[in-house]
Amino acid sequence: MNWISSNIDRIVSLTISHAWLTLVPTILGLIIALPLGWWAHRFKRGQAAIVGTAGLLYTIPSLALFIILPVILGTKILDPLNIVVALTLYTLALLVRVVTDGLDSVPHDTVAAAEAMGYRGWQRLVLVELPVAVPVIAAGLRVAVVSNVSIVTMAALLGIPQLGSLFTQGFQLRLYVPLLTGILLCVVLAIVFDGLIIWLNRLLTPWRQRTVTS
């Protein structure tokens, strides 16, 4: 407890940094995955290639990607932008398939009814198909954000400050308190982000709650 009280400012700063490095790539990955997933859903012949190519991104080891990206982007190795780009790619790798599956899960009768009501193209996608696909997309997003909370800690090996820094500090000083603090806060962040997505899912699909209630 003495260590925690004397390092509380740093712990708060690392937690905020960790949250930022987790949320920004998750949101960016979702934004990019939506049109790619729609493209794969729309053009069935290219679906396997689009989804498969995106999935291959997740096979790249995170530490190797963190080291390679500065060379590609022309950034410094300690630049947090490298982590944002890397985790955006990982989020994209997970969510392209999820968005595709979500749109594929929309019943044909629902799409036909929307067309009969005059919805066309992007209007049908935004107002009908995506709302129906939200539960599937939200489930995949929950996996992605929790995974990102974990992967961000690897950036500590490059000296980028976030909760993983407590792991390296605990290892170097042979103290259990920083390690346990870092682990606990990572778990708390994962639970908070997961709960936020569950809440957004319920907010965006009020008809499902009415169905369950009735």
Side-chain angles (χ1 to χ4, degrees), residues 29-111:
L30 175 62
I31 292 172
I32 299 172
L34 285 173
L36 287 177
W38 170 83
W39 189 22
H41 161 72
R42 181 78 173 176
F43 303 100
K44 299 297 183 182
R45 291 183 179 179
Q47 184 176 110
I50 297 170
V51 173
T53 301
L56 286 175
L57 295 172
Y58 210 79
T59 64
I60 305 174
S62 58
L63 186 57
L65 190 57
F66 292 162
I67 295 173
I68 293 173
L69 279 176
V71 178
I72 298 174
L73 300 176
T75 56
K76 297 180 180 179
I77 197 166
L78 295 181
D79 194 331
L81 179 62
N82 301 319
I83 310 304
V84 171
V85 173
L87 291 185
T88 299
L89 292 176
Y90 285 139
T91 303
L92 184 65
L94 288 172
L95 293 187
V96 168
R97 178 182 294 276
V98 169
V99 173
T100 304
D101 290 344
L103 293 174
D104 286 344
S105 71
V106 178
H108 177 72
D109 292 345
T110 301
V111 177

Side-chain angles (χ1 to χ4, degrees), residues 10 14 19 21 33 49 64 66 79 90 95 99 109-110 114 150 158 169 172 177 183 198 212:
R10 181 167 181 266
L14 293 176
L21 289 172
F66 292 162
D79 194 331
Y90 285 139
L95 293 187
V99 173
D109 292 345
T110 301
S150 175
L158 304 179
Q169 181 182 359
Q172 291 169 353
V177 176
I183 292 172
I198 292 174
V212 172

